[in-house]
Each structure stands twice: as structure tokens, then as C-alpha cells.
Amino acid sequence: MKAITRLERAREAHARFVGDLLAHPDIHGVGVGHKRRGGKTSRQWSIVVHVARKVPSPQPSRRISPELRWYSEREGRWITVPTDIWEVAPLVDQSARPDAKPTCNVDLSARVRPVPGGFNVASEGSDVPEGGTLGGWVWDRANGQVVLLSNEHVLGSKPGTAVYQPGGRSGLVPANRFAEIVRASYDWDAAIAAPDAEIDACPTIECIGPAVFAIGEPTYGMLIEKVGDGSNLTRGVVTLLDYLCLEPLGKRLVPSVYVEPYKEPFFSQFGDSGALYVESDPDDNTPWRRIVGLHRKGNGIEGAGSPLPPIAKALQVGPLDEMLPAAVEAV
């Protein structure tokens, strides 16, 4: 029998107990990460639960167990995985913007053509009138075209719906229309839209560089960066895997990674929804920096986003280098 790693064990515990944990009245988020002791991060994998306030509860029914325990029929023994309680503000769709000098120094709410990733977009079908962020451009494998990628809650899900750049802050001005929705995934909170003119697509992310030419999986401890309309260029570190949190809008639970600021006061602000996570320090010699996630929400400091590989599968999209053979064949 193959040995089960401690990370695999923690993920098994997460799958077994996440529903019960999220049903607890004090828990608003659950993920897999390293246990913290005395302000320091250990190497012990645990089930991390987020609470708004960490206080002893006089009610036994509301106490959070220090460990999760179950009997494994496969192994013929009892298994235990520790829990860890973090006091963290819930992730919401709106949060205050702190006074901080933008790292990128670009007005991401401006009208630009062609449009790189990082700039403000909105649509008539959006859940947020102010809009969000155009993450970047990818290749639509189903239709053989370049499309923009953002959140479903930013763009909506109805094919043919108009997309504007800029969007919500200045209102949906007809002259700013530049794309329309192709399809969306509610389960992954992601949507793609085709530009009215392909010349309006710029294959970069503002202040970061060429994208999207490689897709990868986010991993624990990975350093990432993003450019979002709310907080500009920020950097973070993945501290939780398999993160699920209660959703203010609807009842969907979207598997995500949890990201904390890295050497900065904050990682996420209102308006960043739809931004792409870019691996900061690749450990190989790949020619392109990998895009690993799609930002969904934050609390003014931390944030969470969905891994990009399952989004790409659900929406039938891939990196832009897939368009090259098609372009050559067309010639």
C-alpha cells in the first residue's frame, strides 16, 4: 500500500469534515495549511478554521475540537488530524481601500486600447455595478479565438451580454463596449468574453509582463502577484489549500487558495475580482511565468482565488501559445 503523506491525510480530513465545520455558527472559512504556534508557522499539516473572533466559548456545543478523528476502514485504525483556529475577517465582495501608494502607478480605471490584464471591466450582467478586473487573455479552444478571462460575478453568465472597458465607475458608456460574453462557469465563478475587435486584446498583464502563455497549479507557500483594479500591483503567499468560505452572494462553495500579503500591508481590495495570480519566483527555466489562479474576493488584507487548471478545463480555454498553430494554418 502506498504511504499516505501528511498533506494527503489533511486533505482527506478536509473532505470528510468541511461541511460540518462550515455549519458551525462561528466558522466562516476552512482550509488546509500549516499549524501556527505562538505566532510562528510549524511544519505540521492541519485543518485551519477561520473565525471572526477567537474567544473561549462557554457553550460546549460551540467549542471547536482541537483535532478531527475518524476510523479508516482501509487502514484498520483511527486517524487524527489537528485543527488550528485563526482569527480572520470574513472574505466579502466589498472592503475599504487603505491609503497606500500604488506599486504599479497606473490608472487601471482608465480607457485603454488594446487592453492588457489588470484594467477595470464591467458588464450589464454583473453582480457588482462598479465592475472588477480583466484578468488576462486566453485561447478559446472551442471557438478558436482570443477571449478575456474574469469572474462570473463580475461579467455575468449570459452569452452575448456586452462587456465594457472601463466599466462601472464611469457607468456603462456605449462607446466603451468592446466585448461580449461567450460562456461562464458558475461553479468556478469564471467567465470569458470575446473582443469585438481582436486588435483590442493585449497579451500582457499591466506591470507584470506577457500573459497568458503558461498555466500552473498553485501550491502551498508559493509566492504570487496580481494586478487588480482595486489594489494595483500586490504580492502574496499561498497559506491555505482547498479553502472554502461562506458566500454572501449565493450558496456556491468554490475551492480556492487563501493568500496573505507578502512583505506588504495588504493583498486584496474591492475591485480586484477577476485578477490573475502570477507565480512570482518560478523554480524552473520555463520561458513564461505561470498563471496559477483567478482572484475572487478579499477582506481588505487577505484574499482567495480559484486554481486556474480546473477553470481552464471548465471553460475550454488554454494559454495563448495554442493559437500559434491555428494562425500558421490559416496563412
Side-chain angles (χ1 to χ4, degrees):
M1 180 185 297
K2 178 185 175 183
I4 298 175
T5 67
R6 293 179 180 179
L7 172 55
E8 290 171 335
R9 181 74 75 203
R11 283 183 146 171
E12 182 181 356
H14 179 280
R16 284 175 173 270
F17 296 102
V18 66
D20 293 337
L21 291 170
L22 285 176
H24 190 287
D26 300 322
I27 294 175
H28 59 78
V30 180
V32 175
H34 285 177
K35 192 176 181 67
R36 294 176 177 176
R37 297 186 179 90
K40 295 183 178 181
T41 302
S42 72
R43 300 187 67 179
Q44 184 180 24
W45 288 104
S46 66
I47 301 302
V48 176
V49 297
H50 284 175
V51 297
R53 192 177 177 196
K54 190 175 179 180
V55 293
S57 175
Q59 303 177 32
S61 61
R62 296 185 70 159
R63 292 173 188 163
I64 300 172
S65 173
E67 64 182 22
L68 301 174
R69 191 167 185 261
W70 74 96
Y71 185 79
S72 172
E73 296 286 352
R74 179 178 58 179
E75 300 177 57
R77 65 187 183 96
W78 287 92
I79 306 296
T80 59
V81 171
T83 58
D84 198 14
I85 304 171
W86 295 4
E87 185 176 303
V88 175
L91 300 186
V92 295
D93 292 296
Q94 297 190 27
S95 52
R97 298 173 65 183
D99 295 328
K101 185 178 179 181
T103 309
C104 188
N105 284 322
V106 173
D107 181 6
L108 298 171
S109 64
R111 185 183 192 276
V112 294
R113 298 292 186 275
V115 191
F119 280 81
N120 172 264
V121 290
S123 87
E124 296 164 344
S126 175
D127 288 339
V128 282
E130 298 85 352
T133 299
L134 187 163
W137 298 89
V138 292
W139 182 246
D140 180 359
R141 292 167 172 162
N143 295 328
Q145 61 184 345
V146 174
V147 292
L148 69 88
L149 175 63
S150 187
N151 291 134
E152 185 269 346
H153 82 260
V154 168
L155 298 182
S157 59
K158 185 178 179 181
T161 301
V163 179
Y164 300 80
Q165 195 290 312
R169 294 186 193 176
S170 56
L172 300 182
V173 179
N176 290 339
R177 176 195 158 116
F178 84 118
E180 65 176 38
I181 295 174
V182 176
R183 57 184 169 277
S185 170
Y186 177 85
D187 291 340
W188 289 101
D189 190 10
I192 56 174
D196 295 335
E198 196 168 290
I199 195 173
D200 288 339
C202 180
T204 65
I205 296 177
E206 188 69 23
C207 296
I208 288 183
V212 174
F213 292 96
I215 292 174
E217 190 78 35
T219 57
Y220 180 85
M222 177 183 282
L223 298 180
I224 61 172
E225 52 192 66
K226 67 169 179 57
V227 173
D229 179 40
S231 57
N232 215 270
L233 173 63
T234 54
R235 297 175 177 85
V237 57
V238 175
T239 56
L240 292 179
L241 305 174
D242 302 342
Y243 185 71
L244 293 174
C245 63
L246 300 179
E247 302 280 342
L249 298 175
K251 296 183 178 180
R252 59 182 161 192
L253 292 174
V254 183
S256 303
V257 291
Y258 194 82
V259 183
E260 297 184 13
Y262 181 72
K263 297 182 178 180
E264 295 187 13
F266 64 93
F267 176 73
S268 170
Q269 295 294 306
F270 173 63
D272 287 345
S273 294
L276 292 176
Y277 292 168
V278 184
E279 185 178 14
S280 292
D281 298 312
D283 57 3
D284 53 30
N285 296 318
T286 53
W288 308 108
R289 294 171 66 187
R290 291 176 290 192
I291 310 301
V292 299
L294 179 67
H295 184 72
R296 297 190 59 243
K297 55 180 60 208
N299 60 12
I301 300 177
E302 300 95 356
S306 306
L308 208 57
I311 291 174
K313 182 178 180 181
L315 292 179
Q316 303 176 65
V317 299
L320 290 176
D321 59 356
E322 293 185 7
M323 70 182 288
L324 299 179
V328 171
E329 190 175 277
V331 174

